[in-house]
Amino acid sequence: MEILVQQLFNGLTIGSVYALVALGLTLVYGILHIPNFAHGALYMMGGYITLMMMVQYGLHYWLAILVSVIVVGLIGVLMERLVFYPLRHAPPIHDKIAAIGILLFLEAFAQYVWGADYQTMPTPYGQVVQLFGLTFTLQRLLIIISAIAVMVLLFLFLKKTYTGASIIAMSQDRDGANLVGINTNRVAMLTFLISGGLAAIASSLAAPINLVFPGMGQLVILKAFVIIILGGMGSIPGAIIGGYILGFSESLGATYISNDYKDIIAFILLVVILSVKPTGLFAKGGH
Amino acid sequence: MANIINKRFIIPVLILFAIVFPFVTQNDYFIHVMTLSFIWMIGVYGLNLLAGYTGYLSLAHAGFFAVGAYSLGLLTVKAQMNFWLAFVLSLIITSVLGFLIGLIALRTKEHFFAIYTLCVGYILYLIIDKWDSLTEGVRGLIGIPAPGNIGPISFETPLSQYYLVLAILLVVILIVYRIVHSLTGRTYIAIRNSEDLALTIGISTMKNKLEVFVLSTFFAGLSGALYASFIRFIGPDIGNIVITFDLLTYLLIGGIGTLSGPIVGTVLVVWISQQLQFLQDYRMLIFGPILTLLVIFYPRGIAGSIAGWNAKRAEKKLAKAQQDERFSQSPISAENQVKEG
């Protein structure tokens, strides 16, 4: 019983990270209808920038995250301007390949600048806490709380502000949004900014319990794809629910099935889903 | 001038060049690099049939490449099977696996297909990496034999292997050439241009897609099996996503959806990479942006751009010829021309 609760708690932690990454991915998909394969590279850059800010410039953890969010968000905007905007009329295969090109570049870049070694990120919240018979580090609790806080803020932003509503409007109908006077270019840039920021937050939160290395985004991004297919491409609640479903099934699978194969669970889940329903669960419309 | 770059002329010249190449260089290392690029080309042709002609971007090809390589490795090293029997069996294994995966994967479209195959590729990689008792995991498989003798011909020396791989590559190119210029090839292109339209005019899209998917995995497996017997050591890394991206880079730089693209792209990139040895792990610092820029500015790659350029020139020439004709000939023939047009 104790193991089960402990694992559920771990699932909640990983699930929070997955949900944040998947949110960024699903926002971009909703706006531009491209699967941004470079999103994993943004996640990785986020981890490295936070680490660099903390270790080299001695910034506090939260300040470092703030810098990282801004920088990675701007990388996202740059990506949209330089790559996806010129490709907006190209066949879909081109976006994917271009995104892969960016991914490869950023990974090689990180390896060039920061080296291929695995690095640990120090955290001011390494204390061990005991609560309700559970033992965990404060960092894990922090991940859950901050992730949920970010999600709530994002939700309020999308639902309650004019700018946020314009993102939703554009994901519903690009031409329609354009027609009622929404500057779709600006909204696209804003979406990439938010998406990059979310990736940076997710990796900065997760890095202290994992490690920082150039390939750290690969597995996470693949799982984020599984999540947004699970939750419906472009759906925001779907990304959050999907993130937690995957988090729980992984942490439980690791304990009760096999720790070696825990990474495979997500992909088997995806293969099964797409085999049964080729357009993903909760897909909108006929196609 | 145009006649010199004629297809009829350039193909025999290229083949001749490939045949005399080892005697020209006399450098074992160059022969090694060239053989490797021939092996990659076979895989790239497989990817080209699927992504270039049918429009389905498969990201699982490194997985199938690894399946081909590991089937051959396991059958020869662990089962002690005869090389050529193992070779044929590993091709069959890859194709059957391709068929089964294709059956499900091809129900998905566009992004879903790319993501699905990405995950399939990752599963294949993870299985190879984690299934220690069968594949030796990260230690890799050592001591894979070189291709066995065919009658009196042995393939122990690098030179003989070079010619073996070249011969297989030529057969592959011939097959792809015949397919692309047949009705089947046209059908693939029709599916790429609009699947709904193809379906409407009576093409069984699923059957055709499955055909091309199996063929494509067959080539990936062939290339993997050759790789295993040539390098004679394989590790799980050959199934990594990075290999798929490498293949994709070769294809895109050469020209996706063109016949000569895989050759041009592979030779060019492999040789440039050899020249940039010092970059090794950082080569993607250069190739990543090149890939992205190519897609934006030259989506048809080198071969496609040259073909487009030639077509434009031919068109101009034709227009000019027609114009001249119109000036020189009597009004009656010009009138005829209008009627015919």
Side-chain angles (χ1 to χ4, degrees):
Chain A
M1 186 60 204
E2 210 167 88
I3 296 177
L4 179 71
V5 177
Q6 188 80 48
Q7 285 310 319
L8 284 177
F9 180 77
N10 283 346
L12 202 61
T13 323
I14 326 171
S16 304
V17 176
Y18 289 161
L20 283 183
V21 182
L23 266 176
L25 204 58
T26 210
L27 275 176
V28 166
Y29 185 84
I31 297 287
L32 294 178
H33 295 276
I34 45 168
N36 185 5
F37 287 113
H39 198 67
L42 293 182
Y43 176 86
M44 180 266 307
M45 291 298 283
Y48 268 111
I49 291 170
T50 310
L51 182 70
M52 192 176 75
M53 286 299 142
M54 288 177 76
V55 175
Q56 282 188 1
Y57 298 99
L59 286 186
H60 186 263
Y61 184 52
W62 291 112
L63 265 176
I65 292 184
L66 186 70
V67 174
S68 169
V69 167
I70 294 169
V71 173
V72 177
L74 288 179
I75 296 176
V77 174
L78 216 61
M79 225 157 75
E80 198 274 335
R81 278 294 94 182
L82 296 181
V83 180
F84 294 117
Y85 181 73
L87 280 173
R88 65 196 177 287
H89 298 307
I93 200 167
H94 290 172
D95 295 311
K96 279 174 266 184
I97 293 169
I100 289 170
I102 304 171
L103 169 80
L104 294 174
F105 169 73
L106 286 177
E107 266 182 20
F109 178 78
Q111 197 175 339
Y112 180 71
V113 176
W114 293 296
D117 307 330
Y118 288 62
Q119 301 184 39
T120 45
M121 187 190 279
T123 165
Y125 305 101
Q127 305 93 317
V128 176
V129 184
Q130 283 203 325
L131 205 65
F132 311 122
L134 282 173
T135 314
F136 49 81
T137 57
L138 200 56
Q139 179 69 25
R140 282 182 180 269
L141 193 65
L142 197 73
I143 292 176
I144 300 172
I145 295 172
S146 348
I148 291 174
V150 168
M151 285 181 229
V152 170
L153 281 178
L154 184 71
F155 183 79
L156 289 177
F157 169 71
L158 289 176
K159 291 288 176 191
K160 301 287 176 194
T161 66
Y162 182 79
T163 328
S166 67
I167 292 183
I168 295 198
M170 190 168 149
S171 74
Q172 284 169 348
D173 189 338
R174 192 183 183 121
D175 292 337
N178 220 338
L179 216 55
V180 295
I182 291 171
N183 183 343
T184 45
N185 281 336
R186 238 181 43 209
V187 174
M189 282 194 279
L190 180 69
T191 311
F192 267 89
L193 184 77
I194 295 173
S195 159
L198 286 172
I201 295 175
S203 64
S204 310
L205 285 173
I209 60 166
N210 292 322
L211 290 163
V212 182
F213 57 98
M216 70 190 270
Q218 283 181 4
L219 211 55
V220 176
I221 186 69
L222 287 176
K223 287 175 184 169
F225 272 122
V226 175
I227 292 164
I228 64 170
I229 285 180
L230 195 79
M233 292 271 227
S235 155
I236 290 164
I240 298 171
I241 295 168
Y244 284 110
I245 290 180
L246 188 65
F248 286 128
S249 41
E250 262 188 18
S251 62
L252 293 178
T255 334
Y256 296 106
I257 302 172
S258 154
N259 197 25
D260 264 1
Y261 289 98
K262 76 169 197 294
D263 287 334
I264 233 171
I265 292 172
F267 305 116
I268 291 177
L269 203 65
L270 177 87
V271 169
V272 172
I273 291 169
L274 283 183
S275 308
V276 179
K277 207 156 175 292
T279 46
L281 295 179
F282 316 119
K284 297 177 213 153
H287 275 276
Chain B
M1 180 62 197
N3 290 343
I4 298 175
I5 327 174
N6 194 303
K7 215 162 49 174
R8 273 200 201 139
F9 183 78
I10 204 155
I11 291 172
V13 165
L14 277 181
I15 294 175
L16 205 68
F17 175 74
I19 290 172
V20 298
F21 175 78
F23 299 103
V24 176
T25 63
Q26 294 287 349
N27 182 331
D28 275 355
Y29 177 68
F30 286 166
I31 296 174
H32 178 92
V33 172
M34 208 58 178
T35 315
L36 251 186
S37 45
F38 287 164
I39 292 174
W40 290 123
M41 268 177 220
I42 296 173
V44 177
Y45 267 109
L47 194 61
N48 192 20
L49 267 183
L50 189 63
Y53 287 99
T54 322
Y56 273 73
L57 179 65
S58 161
L59 298 175
H61 265 60
F64 290 112
F65 179 84
V67 169
Y70 265 90
S71 309
L72 182 86
L74 290 173
L75 287 175
T76 49
V77 173
K78 292 213 162 171
Q80 298 290 333
M81 210 175 261
N82 171 286
F83 178 84
W84 289 107
L85 185 64
F87 189 77
V88 172
L89 266 179
S90 60
L91 296 184
I92 294 174
I93 292 172
T94 322
S95 311
V96 169
L97 189 71
F99 176 78
L100 294 176
I101 290 174
L103 219 48
I104 301 164
L106 289 165
R107 295 178 54 198
T108 60
K109 276 181 193 161
E110 287 181 7
H111 307 323
F112 290 100
F113 182 80
I115 295 169
Y116 190 93
T117 47
L118 188 67
C119 291
V120 167
Y122 208 82
I123 292 175
L124 290 175
Y125 165 70
L126 273 182
I127 291 174
I128 289 172
D129 191 47
K130 302 280 185 204
W131 197 351
D132 258 8
S133 56
L134 181 73
T135 62
E136 301 294 329
V138 284
R139 289 186 301 281
L141 268 181
I142 314 165
I144 299 162
N149 298 358
I150 303 180
I153 317 164
S154 85
F155 296 103
E156 285 296 331
T157 64
L159 196 64
S160 56
Q161 284 171 358
Y162 173 87
Y163 285 116
L164 175 72
V165 174
L166 178 64
I168 294 177
L169 174 70
L170 288 177
V171 173
V172 167
I173 295 176
L174 183 72
I175 294 172
V176 174
Y177 178 84
R178 296 289 297 171
I179 290 174
V180 169
H181 286 88
S182 69
L183 186 63
T184 322
R186 302 274 165 203
T187 314
Y188 297 158
I189 295 173
I191 293 175
R192 178 186 69 191
N193 291 345
S194 168
E195 198 166 337
D196 290 335
L197 184 61
L199 203 61
T200 315
I201 58 174
I203 292 171
S204 166
T205 51
M206 188 62 195
K207 190 179 134 256
N208 279 289
K209 284 190 300 187
L210 197 57
E211 236 173 59
V212 73
F213 191 81
V214 172
L215 207 62
S216 170
T217 52
F218 173 85
F219 285 147
L222 176 63
S223 139
L226 284 173
Y227 179 88
S229 68
F230 179 63
I231 301 289
R232 323 217 10 207
F233 160 80
I234 46 176
D237 272 354
I238 58 167
N240 202 314
I241 297 290
V242 178
I243 301 287
T244 308
F245 292 163
D246 274 345
L247 294 179
L248 212 56
T249 313
Y250 301 157
L251 180 57
L252 262 147
I253 289 182
I256 190 166
T258 61
L259 258 178
S260 50
I263 305 176
V264 177
T266 313
V267 168
L268 204 66
V269 179
V270 169
W271 280 101
I272 292 175
S273 308
Q274 293 304 327
Q275 295 304 309
L276 301 177
Q277 276 285 344
F278 62 95
L279 277 173
Q280 213 26 274
D281 292 333
Y282 309 120
R283 66 186 197 284
M284 285 304 171
L285 269 182
I286 297 172
F287 288 127
I290 287 182
L291 200 65
T292 310
L293 290 175
L294 264 175
V295 167
I296 298 174
F297 296 109
Y298 294 97
R300 300 172 65 199
I302 296 172
S305 295
I306 291 176
W309 184 64
N310 273 344
K312 219 176 244 172
R313 219 180 42 170
E315 198 180 310
K316 246 185 211 160
K317 218 176 189 180
L318 195 74
K320 201 172 172 233
Q322 273 176 352
Q323 217 171 28
D324 290 347
E325 216 172 301
R326 224 169 273 173
F327 276 122
S328 60
Q329 302 250 321
S330 63
I332 300 164
S333 67
E335 221 166 76
N336 282 343
Q337 229 171 14
V338 172
K339 266 183 203 161
E340 278 162 17

